[in-house]
Amino acid sequence: MKKHLIAPSVLAANFAHLERDFEMVNQSDADWYHVDVMDGRFVPNISFGMDIISTMKKLASKPLDVHLMIVEPEKYIERFRDAGADVITVHYEACPHLHRTIQQIKETGAKAGVALNPHTDASVLEPIIEELDLVCVMSVNPGFGGQKFIYSAIPKIKKLKEIITIHNTKTLIEVDGGVGLQNAEKILQAGANVLVAGSSVFKSENPSQTITKLKEIGGYTFHV
Ligand code: DX5
Ligand code: ZN
């Protein structure tokens, strides 16, 4: 049995003190770094690309979970892998040939994930669930940190959990957006395995302690 994972979202870190913030996460109970890539096309915001991720890779002692909020992600998979991505997640809504894109991610040696926007039903992933290492349930509309958790994510997590159980796969359910100490228990009880937390960690008074608290919340354990 394994406890849930905590993935602080570096979008909420202080980029003038990236080294300091990474050192805090390295020393903390966090498991992964969540790294948000935005292109100003799939989402109405622009963040950073491969060069910044290469720098982050040098600072990080934990895996980089790279969330691609970009159109045509298949054009850049290898370059994100080369930059240091350990998990590469693409959006269902951005991939007309999702099965092929998943295979492309796996061929690089990275773990493959698919993210679902709030309006996208869990059932769309049933035909390819056995191919997926991770499903990222967006609990905000992607594009910005610091938004309010959308509660319809909870039944979606439960539905995904059922699909994963029926197919007997090891797919992890990640929840991204508006996650914090106030709702983490509910999310974990619904069946989530990975909590992404940006503002609730980096904007808190004691980020490292917040990570520990998120990690210690009871809820759900799972087999790997
Ligand atoms: C939203 C991003 C999230 C974001 C989460 O588009 O995918 O990963 O950084 O930030 P918080 O935890 O502040 O909602
Ligand atoms: Zn994200």
Side-chain angles (χ1 to χ4, degrees):
M1 295 294 254
K2 200 167 187 282
K3 227 177 149 37
H4 59 271
L5 309 180
I6 307 297
S9 176
V10 298
L11 195 65
N14 183 338
F15 277 65
H17 299 283
L18 212 51
E19 201 165 350
R20 181 198 67 191
D21 283 1
F22 269 66
E23 205 36 44
M24 180 279 291
V25 175
N26 286 342
Q27 301 299 328
S28 77
D29 290 324
D31 299 277
W32 292 351
Y33 285 87
H34 184 80
V35 178
D36 287 313
V37 179
M38 304 177 184
D39 66 349
R41 294 189 63 207
F42 182 69
V43 289
N45 199 6
I46 299 177
S47 59
F48 46 76
M50 299 87 181
D51 288 352
I52 300 285
I53 294 179
S54 301
T55 302
M56 290 176 175
K57 188 68 178 176
K58 293 193 187 96
L59 301 174
S61 66
K62 298 173 180 182
L64 299 188
D65 168 34
V66 175
H67 177 193
L68 298 181
M69 286 163 273
I70 65 175
V71 297
E72 301 180 337
E74 65 280 357
K75 288 188 178 166
Y76 308 102
I77 302 293
E78 288 73 19
R79 289 175 62 196
F80 280 110
R81 175 64 174 163
D82 290 345
D86 296 283
V87 182
I88 298 178
T89 296
V90 293
H91 264 264
Y92 170 80
E93 300 83 5
C95 296
H97 304 288
L98 186 58
H99 184 277
R100 181 187 294 154
T101 305
I102 293 301
Q103 304 315 319
Q104 192 189 343
I105 296 172
K106 288 180 159 178
E107 273 160 27
T108 69
K111 301 253 183 251
V114 174
L116 299 178
N117 274 343
H119 71 275
T120 306
D121 197 85
S123 61
V124 299
L125 293 183
E126 181 148 23
I128 58 160
I129 196 75
E130 287 167 24
E131 308 294 329
L132 304 182
D133 296 303
L134 177 144
V135 176
C136 175
V137 175
M138 290 308 301
S139 40
V140 296
N141 283 296
F144 302 91
Q147 302 182 79
K148 214 169 146 267
F149 185 83
I150 298 173
Y151 268 87
S152 60
I154 299 284
K156 196 188 284 186
I157 297 164
K158 289 185 180 158
K159 195 162 169 184
L160 272 167
K161 189 83 216 166
E162 277 171 31
I163 294 172
I164 288 166
T165 306
I166 290 167
H167 287 260
N168 197 21
T169 74
K170 293 193 164 114
T171 314
L172 298 176
I173 302 174
E174 176 176 73
V175 181
D176 185 12
V179 176
L181 290 168
Q182 75 290 354
N183 55 15
E185 189 167 5
K186 257 206 170 75
I187 296 167
L188 292 169
Q189 280 169 353
N193 312 114
V194 186
L195 299 180
V196 174
S199 319
S200 68
V201 164
F202 287 101
K203 312 288 183 221
S204 72
E205 218 163 276
N206 187 335
S208 169
Q209 198 180 72
T210 304
I211 292 170
T212 301
K213 284 186 183 159
L214 284 168
K215 185 77 185 175
E216 281 174 354
I217 288 174
Y220 196 84
T221 47
F222 58 97
H223 291 282
V224 286

